[in-house]
Amino acid sequence: MKTRFFAPLFALLSLTAFAQKSPDLALTPPMGWNSWNTFGTDINEQLVMEIADAFVNLGLRDAGYTYLVLDDGWMAKERDENNQLVPDPEKFPNGIKPVIDYVHAQGLKFGIYNCAGATTCAGYPGSRGFEYQDALQYAKWGVDFLKYDWCDTENLNAKGAYQTMRDALSATGRPILFSICEWGDNDPWKWGEEMGHMWRVTGDIINCWDCKVGHGTWSSLGVWPIIKLRKDIRKYSGPGHWNDFDMMEVGNGMSAAEDRVHFAMWCMLASPLIMGNDLRSASTETIKTLTNPEVIAVNQDKLGIQAYCHSDEGDLEIWAKPLADGEWAFAIVNMSTEEETLNYDWNRHPVKDDLSGRALEAYKKTYEIRDLFNSKNLGSTQKQLSAKIAGHDVLMLRLRPQ
Ligand code: GAL
């Protein structure tokens, strides 16, 4: 009798006590594509299928990109009579499930978007008060990734709101990567590891090197303002929980060199690599940058240490990232628009990362140097490294102990 009375209580308690984010997801930074940067709410079934095809045909899937994420605008403006979310019938005339099945059939995973508030940022139904119902719906559809935004959240506590959705996802029993998107407003890096697998660190990105565009209460930031604003939160990022520097703008209008810098830096910072361009019309150059296996390997390094700015030599900024097995990655970025010459004597520049305790002492140990964008060996740290780096371009290196 007693046991019968207490059993449901125990079940409930254990569910709450053991609710956690899906384990073992995102042990390296997630890689994929998101519709927002290029398409906004102008998304539909055909677009998703064509993007899925492009993942396969352009070699993006084989390069490691896995998640195809549909952002805001996929829903009808109202829930149905049972309060279920409904895909917009014009954009998705066959519902969302066949689209997800198609994405899965290409060997990819599917991500969806909603918001912790009552409405999403584009004015569609949000999940506030419907968290468990919506999570269950996503799991039934076969969703693998949820990006969860922060509009219309007056009086909500951020940590609590993300915890509710985390628990709702956990209760479905389906592994679903949880992407926290509250723009860095409530220091998500301080509580995000427990709640999700990645968290946005700023407001929205915009496709420029160094600009800021104001929108009243918030500003979109170019590539460098984002990096500079959040370079100091590196200790919070690591396997299973990443600082998310936002969807990439590679292929969206910057020069090819600037795109290389942007991509190199997202790899160095161990940011999720979520493409934000129209893959169907991407140039060969853009795809070459996005699929460079040696550059991606830096991002996917299993230690997951976010790079730091080691030094600057005039206009050349030198970023360093300790990698597994005693290796290092360096990105030497030309911040000026003119060509610069690098003359770098490794013996005179000991490199020490206080966070990881790792040191590169070229006077004690020799490292082989590899130029990652040009797939070329550049000799060893025994001799001075001399290179010309074009304006707003990058020399990205991998150093391997001999
Ligand atoms: C913003 C978010 C963007 C995009 C947009 C959709 O809050 O930062 O990445 O998701 O909402 O409305």
Side-chain angles (χ1 to χ4, degrees):
M1 191 58 184
K2 255 191 191 158
T3 335
R4 265 178 55 203
F5 178 75
F6 284 116
L9 188 64
F10 284 139
L12 188 69
L13 279 177
S14 55
L15 197 73
T16 335
F18 295 118
Q20 53 168 355
K21 68 181 187 185
S22 297
D24 302 331
L25 287 181
L27 295 180
T28 60
M31 295 173 65
W33 177 88
N34 174 300
S35 51
W36 185 255
N37 286 0
T38 297
F39 298 97
T41 58
D42 191 12
I43 49 183
N44 57 52
E45 172 186 289
Q46 192 187 346
L47 173 72
V48 177
M49 291 176 165
E50 288 175 3
I51 293 286
D53 292 345
F55 262 74
V56 179
N57 298 336
L58 298 171
L60 292 157
R61 181 191 61 188
D62 293 343
Y65 295 91
T66 308
Y67 292 96
L68 189 162
V69 184
L70 256 195
D71 208 284
D72 208 351
W74 62 269
M75 295 171 241
K77 285 277 181 184
E78 304 288 341
R79 290 175 180 267
D80 73 6
E81 63 281 9
N82 298 316
N83 282 324
Q84 292 284 58
L85 292 170
V86 189
D88 181 314
E90 275 176 25
K91 297 173 181 173
F92 298 97
N94 302 300
I96 205 94
K97 180 83 172 73
V99 178
I100 298 179
D101 291 345
Y102 186 84
V103 170
H104 285 158
Q106 313 314 310
L108 301 170
K109 294 189 168 167
F110 185 82
I112 213 161
Y113 163 99
N114 210 321
C115 183
T119 51
T120 72
C121 299
Y124 294 86
S127 281
R128 187 170 184 172
F130 298 98
E131 293 87 352
Y132 279 76
Q133 183 173 351
D134 291 352
L136 200 57
Q137 178 69 81
Y138 302 145
K140 284 188 182 151
W141 282 338
V143 166
D144 308 291
F145 177 120
L146 174 65
K147 172 175 171 182
Y148 204 50
D149 213 344
W150 191 239
C151 280
D152 199 13
T153 51
E154 210 152 280
N155 299 326
L156 266 186
N157 169 280
K159 184 177 171 192
Y162 283 95
Q163 178 166 346
T164 304
M165 190 41 112
R166 177 204 71 181
D167 294 352
L169 293 172
S170 165
T172 70
R174 183 175 173 87
I176 298 179
L177 193 153
F178 192 30
S179 160
I180 296 169
C181 175
E182 60 73 81
W183 322 307
D185 283 7
N186 300 277
D187 297 356
W189 41 88
K190 293 192 178 149
W191 44 265
E193 177 175 357
E194 217 186 305
M195 300 307 157
H197 302 92
M198 55 196 260
W199 48 83
R200 279 272 297 282
V201 293
T202 64
D204 293 6
I205 193 170
I206 188 165
N207 57 339
C208 61
W209 176 264
D210 192 22
C211 65
K212 265 190 192 177
V213 178
H215 306 278
T217 53
W218 65 283
S219 301
S220 320
L221 303 179
V223 167
W224 280 98
I226 290 186
I227 297 172
K228 292 286 156 97
L229 189 63
R230 298 303 186 210
K231 65 182 174 30
D232 296 327
I233 53 170
R234 51 191 296 257
K235 74 170 183 197
Y236 297 103
S237 194
H241 52 99
W242 306 99
N243 286 329
D244 172 9
F245 285 76
D246 207 352
M247 288 98 66
M248 294 185 287
E249 294 282 17
V250 173
N252 282 345
M254 286 184 287
S255 71
E258 290 173 338
D259 274 353
R260 266 193 297 279
V261 173
H262 175 16
F263 190 63
M265 287 307 297
W266 262 229
C267 289
M268 293 293 288
L269 296 167
S271 175
L273 295 180
I274 310 293
M275 303 175 287
N277 56 323
D278 187 347
L279 301 179
R280 302 165 309 171
S281 55
S283 70
T284 316
E285 182 97 46
T286 296
I287 297 301
K288 193 172 154 210
T289 299
L290 289 169
T291 55
N292 184 310
E294 294 186 89
V295 177
I296 292 176
V298 169
N299 176 263
Q300 295 291 301
D301 181 74
K302 64 174 188 248
L303 293 186
I305 300 175
Q306 182 176 318
Y308 67 100
C309 188
H310 165 63
S311 58
D312 48 48
E313 310 268 313
D315 285 322
L316 297 177
E317 268 191 22
I318 304 186
W319 290 75
K321 181 184 199 296
L323 304 176
D325 304 321
E327 298 187 33
W328 285 80
F330 287 86
I332 303 166
V333 181
N334 184 350
M335 302 300 287
S336 85
T337 49
E338 307 294 320
E339 182 181 270
E340 297 279 336
T341 303
L342 172 79
N343 287 307
Y344 200 73
D345 183 346
W346 297 93
N347 288 312
R348 289 190 33 233
H349 293 87
V351 180
K352 170 113 201 304
D353 174 22
D354 291 333
L355 180 66
S356 63
R358 288 272 302 279
L360 184 150
E361 291 156 323
Y363 55 90
K364 277 198 204 152
K365 201 190 247 178
T366 303
Y367 292 77
E368 300 295 338
I369 306 175
R370 173 95 174 151
D371 170 348
L372 303 185
F373 276 111
N374 297 305
S375 316
K376 250 181 23 204
N377 296 331
L378 299 182
S380 84
T381 48
Q382 280 190 350
K383 69 173 197 338
Q384 173 170 290
L385 176 67
S386 297
K388 290 197 185 310
I389 305 176
H392 282 191
D393 208 339
V394 60
L395 175 65
M396 190 164 172
L397 307 172
R398 187 177 185 115
L399 271 67
R400 179 169 296 150
Q402 241 176 19

